[in-house]
């Protein structure tokens, strides 16, 4: 099965081709089944390969060369797949959660006239994402990287009749483009210095290049800029909240579980670059910590159920980057997985709520839904508890591991940790605000006479599976005082080994002090307390007091409600001047100066022709006169010149 | 070069030829009737013939007179074709007035 691994990539491609080419021919139900099965088969193949690969014992990656793609001079990029612990891990997440979300979409998109188109896009997305994570070289990864960007654009703007959706798609695409420049630059630099774009070659030759260390920070920074765009970190995060204009399954699959984690994956994949770039790593940690807190504070005052979850995603991605920055790749990848589960669950739950309320997204027009949609409510609650970080749910373990690693980071560690903890507090607070307002609070639903009903089985089944995942996945890696499981750490050992050895050679490694289990327990208890206080606060405010305190917008609350006016600031600083400049070029310089010059030239020729036309009267006499005048001129000339 | 032909100086011949030529050109330019224009063209050709003959005589060179016969032959042929055209157009237009013939524009 390992040698048949390219099938994993092939199935979604076939599904995409089927649905794209026959989108007007096949019935909706059939298209949905084809798309779902394409991903499901990929999942099965991955699962079998996973067991055959024996990831806990094997250290070398399994590389499958499919065919030669680009071969120019000494530049070689092939369609080849690298199966190792990291790519298998990502593939399992993508195909597993992807299958559930496809299944959910079958229920959610029912009756949508773009149903087949939607599934074609979803399959194309899965195909691109798999290329991104499985590729054995940077160029094919970039192909996937662009592919997911394209699908994100297509799916955000899925309901392109609405100009807001189309604009959101453009915004996502353009901001990602900024990051992609970083990716290209990083790839170019790596090729220039090392002479190869294949991960295996890079890994093998970088230790032999003593000069590489001088460029490591720069290259890492370029790749981090790419990650900033794709993974929505400050300052390129503004597209993700707007991306909620797409259908809910899209938000779950692309903008929570898979595509936005591509940045984390890239850092893990290039660990041998990032681990010897301590300055950039610290920068990553700072950006991550700041993003985590910044996005969490914005989430407190939003009223659109999907916007809240979007800011929460930005915040959680900040946590992951914090982990990457402090050099704990295992923690980052761990949180990537747990977050994929509970965030997909929350988004799908939100979709189920929206579905039940006939496309109402404003949480102030919800309330008292707990008894009406039981399965959705319970699963949503599970997801919320997981993201808030209460044991024994998955979010607790992964978030706690990150906070602990941040705490022991020797450079400003406690400050990073403080940021993280405050962000965790806000996370608990606004997520429970959401739960209280939507499921327990005063019933503000306006159904216009339609009944509120639980979603169909295709939608609730994924919710249940994801909820189970959100509960149990935390037990892959637990702290000393709690079972002391270190499965993930040993699992990722072979992938991260080279980078770590390299860092030791270059003394670039930032060694955190080992924590005693007492301190570790203290930290964990503290963060649980913080989460509980957050929950208590939101209980007091929204459930007990039925408070409207966060509804009247004055002073700082107003700033929060308007998301720190970041969009407006960007608009004012970048977009407006740029448009002004472009208008100046396009409508003044081009029209008035360039165009006028050339158009005048053309018109003068035309005028000249028009003047000549007058001579052609059609009278014989006129022509005879011209002949005479011409002869006369010639004679005069000859006389003047003297023959 | 002989400055006299039969006792008359060569410039007299050339002056007459010039006058004839100018009359012919004026006729072509200002008359409206196609037939008269043809007659004017013949006048131009005749003035040129006169120049040829004059120089032929004064230079005692026979080739000028040979050219004169060529010009006469061609003038006759041209007149025949031209008049045929004029008659054809006259049948169409019921007029030989060149100002009413603007088909050359197209």
């Amino acid at each position: 099965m390992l040698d048949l691994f390219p099938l994993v990539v092939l199935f979604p491609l076939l599904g995409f081709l089927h649905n794209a080419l026959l989108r007007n021919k096949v019935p909706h139900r059939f298209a949905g089944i084809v798309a779902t099965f394409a991903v499901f088969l990929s999942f099965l193949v991955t699962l079998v390969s996973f067991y055959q690969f024996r990831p806990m014992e094997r250290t070398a990656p399994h590389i499958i060369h499919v065919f030669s793609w680009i071969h120019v001079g000494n530049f070689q990029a092939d369609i080849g797949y690298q199966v190792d612990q990291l790519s298998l891990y990502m593939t399992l997440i993508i195909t597993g959660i992807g299958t559930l979300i496809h299944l959910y979409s079958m229920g959610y998109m029912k009756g949508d006239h773009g149903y087949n188109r939607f599934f074609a896009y979803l399959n194309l997305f899965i195909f691109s994402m798999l290329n991104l994570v499985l590729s054995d070289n940077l160029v094919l990864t970039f192909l996937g990287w662009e592919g997911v960007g394209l699908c994100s654009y297509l799916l955000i703007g899925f309901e392109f009749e609405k100009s807001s959706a189309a604009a959101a798609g453009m915004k996502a695409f353009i901001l990602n483009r900024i990051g992609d420049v970083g990716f290209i630059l990083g790839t170019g630099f790596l090729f220039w210095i090392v002479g190869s774009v294949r991960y295996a070659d890079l890994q093998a030759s970088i230790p032999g290049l003593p000069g590489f260390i001088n460029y490591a920070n720069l290259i890492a920074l370029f790749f981090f800029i790419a990650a900033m765009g794709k993974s929505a970190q400050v300052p390129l995060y503004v597209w993700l909240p707007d991306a909620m204009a797409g259908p809910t399954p899209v938000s779950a699959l692309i903008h929570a579980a898979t595509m936005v984690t591509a940045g984390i994956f890239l850092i893990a994949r290039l660990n041998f670059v990032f681990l010897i770039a301590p300055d950039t790593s610290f920068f990553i940690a700072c950006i991550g910590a700041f993003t985590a807190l910044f996005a969490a504070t914005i989430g407190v005052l939003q009223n659109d159920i999907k916007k809240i979850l979007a800011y929460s995603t930005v915040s959680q991605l900040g946590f992951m980057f914090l982990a990457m920055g402090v050099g704990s790749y295992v923690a980052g990848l761990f949180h990537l997985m747990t977050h994929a589960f509970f965030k997909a669950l929350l988004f799908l739950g939100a979709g189920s709520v929206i579905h039940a309320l006939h496309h109402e997204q404003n949480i102030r027009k919800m309330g008292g839904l707990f008894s009406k949609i039981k399965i959705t409510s319970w699963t949503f609650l599970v997801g919320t508890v997981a993201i808030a970080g209460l044991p024994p749910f998955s979010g607790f373990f992964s978030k706690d591991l990150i906070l602990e690693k941040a705490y022991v980071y020797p450079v400003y560690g406690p400050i990073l940790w403080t940021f993280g903890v405050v962000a965790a507090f806000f996370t608990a607070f606004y997520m429970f605000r959401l739960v209280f307002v939507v499921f327990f609070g005063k019933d503000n639903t306006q159904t216009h006479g339609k009944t509120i009903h639980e979603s169909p089985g295709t939608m609730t089944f994924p919710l249940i599976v994801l909820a189970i995942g959100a509960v149990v996945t935390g037990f892959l890696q637990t702290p000393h005082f709690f079972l002391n499981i270190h499965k993930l750490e040993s699992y990722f050992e072979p992938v991260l080994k080279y980078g770590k050895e390299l860092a030791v050679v270059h003394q670039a490694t930032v060694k955190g002090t080992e924590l005693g289990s007492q301190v570790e327990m203290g930290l964990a208890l503290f963060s649980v307390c913080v989460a509980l206080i957050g929950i208590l606060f939101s209980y007091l405010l929204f459930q007990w007091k039925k408070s409207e305190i966060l509804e009247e917008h004055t002073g700082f609350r107003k700033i929060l409600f308007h998301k720190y006016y970041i969009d407006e600031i960007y608009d004012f600083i970048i977009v407006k001047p740029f448009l002004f400049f472009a208008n100046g070029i396009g409508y003044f310089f081009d029209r008035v100066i360039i165009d006028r010059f050339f158009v005048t030239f053309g018109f003068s020729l035309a005028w000249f022709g028009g003047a000549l036309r007058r001579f052609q009267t059609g009278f014989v006499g006129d022509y005879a006169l011209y002949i005479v005048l011409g002869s006369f001129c010639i004679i005069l000339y000859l006389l003047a010149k003297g023959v | 070069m002989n400055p006299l032909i039969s006792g008359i100086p060569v410039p007299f011949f050339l002056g007459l030829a010039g006058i004839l030529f100018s009359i012919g050109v004026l006729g072509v330019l200002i008359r409206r009737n196609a037939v008269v224009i043809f007659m004017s063209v013949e006048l131009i050709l005749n003035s040129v013939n006169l120049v040829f003959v004059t120089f032929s005589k004064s230079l005692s060179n026979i080739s000028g007179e040979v050219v004169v016969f060529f010009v006469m032959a061609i003038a006759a042929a041209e007149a025949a074709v031209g008049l045929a055209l004029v008659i054809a157009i006259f049948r169409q237009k019921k007029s030989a007035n060149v100002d009413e013939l603007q088909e050359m524009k197209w």
Side-chain angles (χ1 to χ4, degrees):
Chain A
M1 211 58 172
L2 260 183
D3 291 320
L4 293 175
F5 201 77
L7 283 178
V8 171
V9 185
L10 189 69
F11 282 133
L13 180 65
L14 291 176
F16 157 71
L17 288 174
H18 171 272
N19 286 342
L21 298 174
L22 302 176
R23 67 187 178 283
N24 300 326
K25 307 261 192 312
V26 292
H28 286 184
R29 198 172 171 73
F30 184 67
I33 289 169
V34 166
T36 311
F37 256 92
V39 186
F40 184 59
L41 286 172
S42 288
F43 176 64
L44 290 181
V45 175
T46 316
L47 215 54
V48 174
S49 311
F50 182 80
Y51 283 109
Q52 284 191 342
F53 187 77
R54 298 196 312 283
M56 298 311 268
E57 298 139 40
R58 182 168 173 165
T59 53
H62 180 84
I63 292 183
I64 302 147
H65 180 268
V66 183
F67 61 87
S68 295
W69 180 32
I70 302 175
H71 200 163
V72 181
N74 63 345
F75 177 89
Q76 190 167 5
D78 296 334
I79 305 286
Y81 296 111
Q82 174 172 348
V83 183
D84 61 6
Q85 282 80 353
L86 178 62
S87 58
L88 275 171
Y89 180 83
M90 292 298 288
T91 310
L92 278 175
I93 293 172
I94 294 160
T95 52
I97 291 181
T99 306
L100 292 173
I101 291 173
H102 274 67
L103 188 63
Y104 176 95
S105 305
M106 284 174 68
Y108 188 87
M109 300 300 288
K110 202 178 180 111
D112 194 299
H113 58 88
Y115 195 92
N116 295 5
R117 185 164 60 96
F118 181 80
F119 276 100
Y121 288 164
L122 274 192
N123 271 183
L124 182 63
F125 169 77
I126 296 275
F127 168 73
S128 305
M129 190 71 202
L130 289 174
N131 269 318
L132 197 164
V133 297
L134 288 168
S135 147
D136 76 338
N137 63 65
L138 276 162
V139 178
L140 185 55
T141 299
F142 187 64
L143 183 82
W145 188 270
E146 293 297 315
V148 294
L150 167 72
C151 292
S152 157
Y153 163 78
L154 290 171
L155 283 162
I156 294 168
F158 179 71
E159 291 152 348
F160 54 83
E161 297 90 349
K162 287 192 306 203
S163 59
S164 63
M170 292 242 296
K171 189 171 180 177
F173 196 73
I174 289 165
L175 277 157
N176 271 305
R177 211 34 72 263
I178 298 171
D180 294 341
V181 173
F183 195 112
I184 296 170
L185 284 171
T187 308
F189 265 86
L190 272 182
F191 178 73
W192 178 53
I193 296 163
V194 186
S196 171
V197 289
R198 293 182 68 246
Y199 296 123
D201 297 349
L202 290 172
Q203 199 163 274
S205 26
I206 283 178
L209 293 166
F212 184 79
I213 191 86
N214 307 325
Y215 296 100
N217 273 315
L218 184 66
I219 293 174
L221 184 65
F222 282 142
F223 280 114
F224 177 53
I225 288 170
M228 257 187 210
K230 204 57 87 191
S231 299
Q233 294 300 289
V234 170
L236 300 180
Y237 75 96
V238 287
W239 63 269
L240 207 154
D242 285 30
M244 298 303 129
T248 310
V250 174
S251 310
L253 177 65
I254 299 182
H255 305 121
T258 56
M259 181 185 95
V260 290
T261 59
I264 312 288
F265 163 81
L266 188 69
I267 294 179
R269 178 52 92 207
L270 293 170
N271 57 73
F272 43 83
V273 176
F274 281 85
L275 277 169
I276 53 176
D279 303 349
T280 303
S281 289
F282 178 64
F283 177 64
I284 296 174
C286 291
I287 291 276
F290 180 71
T291 307
L293 180 57
F294 183 80
T297 53
I298 297 180
V300 171
L301 276 189
Q302 298 305 307
N303 283 326
D304 180 317
I305 186 166
K306 286 174 74 181
K307 279 259 161 80
I308 296 174
L309 292 175
Y311 280 107
S312 140
T313 305
V314 177
S315 169
Q316 298 300 313
L317 285 163
F319 272 107
M320 292 176 215
F321 275 102
L322 173 59
M324 290 328 226
V326 298
S328 173
Y329 291 17
V330 175
L333 290 163
F334 184 31
H335 198 58
L336 186 157
M337 177 182 66
T338 58
H339 172 260
F341 273 101
F342 58 68
K343 188 51 63 67
L345 166 63
L346 288 170
F347 263 116
L348 296 187
S352 187
V353 169
I354 293 166
H355 190 75
L357 294 179
H358 308 287
H359 293 274
E360 175 59 64
Q361 296 195 10
N362 188 339
I363 60 169
R364 298 166 78 181
K365 294 193 180 148
M366 300 178 184
L369 294 174
F370 197 77
S371 52
K372 293 176 184 155
I373 42 176
K374 273 262 184 314
I375 301 176
T376 305
S377 308
W378 274 110
T379 49
F380 198 91
L381 198 59
V382 167
T384 312
V385 174
I387 196 175
L390 295 183
F393 289 68
S394 58
F396 163 75
F397 297 109
S398 54
K399 192 186 291 190
D400 225 56
L401 186 62
I402 293 174
L403 289 175
E404 179 197 316
K405 297 289 184 193
Y407 187 78
V408 299
Y409 192 63
V411 196
Y412 301 114
I415 295 177
L416 293 174
W417 174 82
T418 311
F419 266 84
V421 168
V422 177
F425 165 79
F426 276 113
T427 306
F429 179 73
Y430 68 74
M431 285 309 298
F432 271 89
R433 164 181 180 249
L434 179 63
V435 167
F436 287 133
V437 171
V438 173
F439 294 104
F440 298 105
K442 193 156 63 61
D443 189 345
N444 293 328
T445 51
Q446 301 156 339
T447 52
H448 308 294
K450 294 176 189 163
T451 49
I452 298 176
H453 57 89
E454 180 59 285
S455 307
T458 44
M459 287 166 70
T460 49
F461 174 71
L463 287 176
I464 294 163
V465 176
L466 285 170
I468 294 166
V471 176
V472 300
T473 47
F475 290 97
L476 290 171
Q477 174 90 3
T478 59
H480 295 292
F481 58 86
F482 196 102
L483 302 175
N484 197 8
I485 304 171
H486 288 286
K487 267 210 158 32
L488 269 188
E489 212 160 312
S490 42
Y491 174 84
F492 282 120
E493 191 54 43
V495 179
L496 301 174
K497 194 175 64 190
Y498 295 93
K500 284 187 175 142
E501 284 168 2
L502 205 59
V504 172
V505 170
H506 288 293
Q507 279 114 38
T509 180
V510 185
K511 235 5 216 162
T513 43
E514 271 306 312
L515 280 182
S517 65
Q518 281 295 330
V519 187
E520 195 175 32
M521 188 138 180
L523 284 176
L525 270 177
F526 186 79
S527 65
V528 171
C529 286
V530 162
L532 282 172
I533 290 167
I535 295 169
L536 185 69
F537 259 30
S538 77
Y539 175 78
L540 292 176
L541 282 176
F542 301 105
Q543 191 58 23
W544 188 58
K545 278 273 195 209
K546 300 271 187 285
S547 161
E548 297 289 307
I549 182 166
L550 288 177
E551 309 305 341
E552 48 193 78
H553 300 306
T554 50
F556 187 64
R557 288 207 292 270
K558 187 170 173 183
I559 296 179
L560 267 190
F561 181 72
H562 289 286
K563 309 153 197 169
Y564 295 102
Y565 294 102
I566 292 287
D567 273 328
E568 287 81 354
I569 290 169
Y570 280 0
D571 190 56
F572 185 75
I573 291 182
I574 296 165
V575 179
K576 282 265 190 320
F578 194 87
L579 282 180
F580 177 77
F581 183 69
N583 276 333
I585 293 282
Y587 290 99
F588 180 75
F589 185 74
D590 190 46
R591 285 275 168 87
V592 175
I593 295 169
I594 304 278
D595 282 6
R596 188 165 289 186
F597 175 75
F598 284 101
V599 169
T600 308
F601 188 69
F603 269 119
S604 60
L605 278 177
W607 176 86
F608 188 66
L612 277 180
R613 208 181 57 198
R614 303 253 178 87
F615 286 96
Q616 195 183 4
T617 54
F619 296 122
V620 187
D622 287 359
Y623 299 148
L625 180 64
Y626 304 149
I627 292 170
V628 171
L629 286 176
S631 318
F632 193 65
C633 290
I634 290 169
I635 289 165
L636 273 183
Y637 170 76
L638 288 174
L639 284 176
K641 194 167 161 261
V643 183
Chain B
M1 176 170 171
N2 191 357
L4 293 174
I5 298 171
S6 322
I8 305 169
V10 167
F12 281 35
F13 289 94
L14 295 182
L16 174 63
I19 289 163
L20 276 177
F21 184 88
S22 307
I23 291 169
V25 167
L26 270 177
V28 168
L29 289 183
I30 62 182
R31 301 304 293 266
R32 299 277 164 75
N33 191 311
V35 181
V36 179
I37 289 177
F38 271 116
M39 284 155 61
S40 309
V41 171
E42 295 300 321
L43 207 54
I44 294 172
L45 292 169
N46 272 328
S47 78
V48 174
N49 278 347
L50 180 55
V51 175
F52 272 121
V53 171
T54 308
F55 282 118
S56 169
K57 263 309 227 198
S58 81
L59 297 175
S60 351
N61 182 345
I62 203 72
S63 49
E65 291 186 29
V66 173
V67 176
V68 168
F69 281 108
F70 272 106
V71 172
M72 280 179 180
I74 287 171
E78 183 229 358
V81 173
L83 281 170
L85 275 173
V86 170
I87 288 162
I89 291 169
F90 184 81
R91 281 187 180 162
Q92 281 276 319
K93 289 258 171 196
K94 299 278 175 283
S95 135
N97 186 339
V98 288
D99 282 4
E100 292 173 24
L101 307 177
Q102 284 199 30
E103 279 81 0
M104 280 176 81
K105 211 173 178 174
W106 310 114

